[in-house]
Amino acid sequence: QVQLVESGGGLVQPGGSLRLSCAASGFTFSSYRMSWYRQAPGKERELVATITSVGGSTIYADSVKGRATISRDNAKNTVYLQMNSLKPEDAAVYYCNAAKYGGITYNYWGQGTQVTVSS
């Protein structure tokens, strides 16, 4: 059974930091591209950051470049998102995504973790 379990969300003051974690199970984690998405109320879900399965190349949304770092630990089947200098507009539910593209596409989602940025 595939599971993606996010943790690390919560309330943080503007300018603060958070590290989100996503623990994966039920699939070959190292073979999947891992991403963080977020969705704020009334807005569409948007990509925050992606890290590839091979080589660990990363892609960031312009809105978080320089403030976010995505990383993965294949030994622990976990992907992380470090967010610094948080802004109120970073507040959203953050979702972990695992994807593998080929003859068959696999796409899995976590349940999300809430990040609130407020003083």
Side-chain angles (χ1 to χ4, degrees):
Q1 180 183 0
V2 172
Q3 281 194 311
L4 294 173
V5 180
E6 300 98 334
S7 61
L11 173 64
V12 62
Q13 292 187 341
S17 298
L18 275 179
R19 188 175 84 152
L20 306 181
S21 300
C22 172
S25 60
F27 61 98
T28 308
F29 178 81
S30 59
S31 298
Y32 281 67
R33 170 178 295 196
M34 299 300 298
S35 302
W36 287 95
Y37 286 76
R38 67 186 181 187
Q39 188 168 20
K43 295 188 177 181
E44 293 187 355
R45 190 171 297 190
E46 63 174 358
L47 177 67
V48 178
T50 292
I51 185 165
T52 60
S53 59
V54 179
S57 297
T58 57
I59 299 171
Y60 296 95
D62 287 344
S63 58
V64 302
K65 276 182 183 176
R67 301 188 298 118
T69 302
I70 187 170
S71 60
R72 64 191 298 160
D73 185 337
N74 289 340
K76 295 183 177 180
N77 288 356
T78 301
V79 61
Y80 305 97
L81 181 69
Q82 177 71 41
M83 292 281 293
N84 300 322
S85 302
L86 283 159
K87 305 175 182 180
E89 52 263 42
D90 293 317
V93 178
Y94 283 69
Y95 296 92
C96 178
N97 173 266
K100 184 177 180 182
Y101 304 100
I104 301 175
T105 295
Y106 297 90
N107 198 24
Y108 306 126
W109 292 93
Q111 82 288 348
T113 185
Q114 177 73 51
V115 172
T116 302
V117 184
S118 175
S119 54

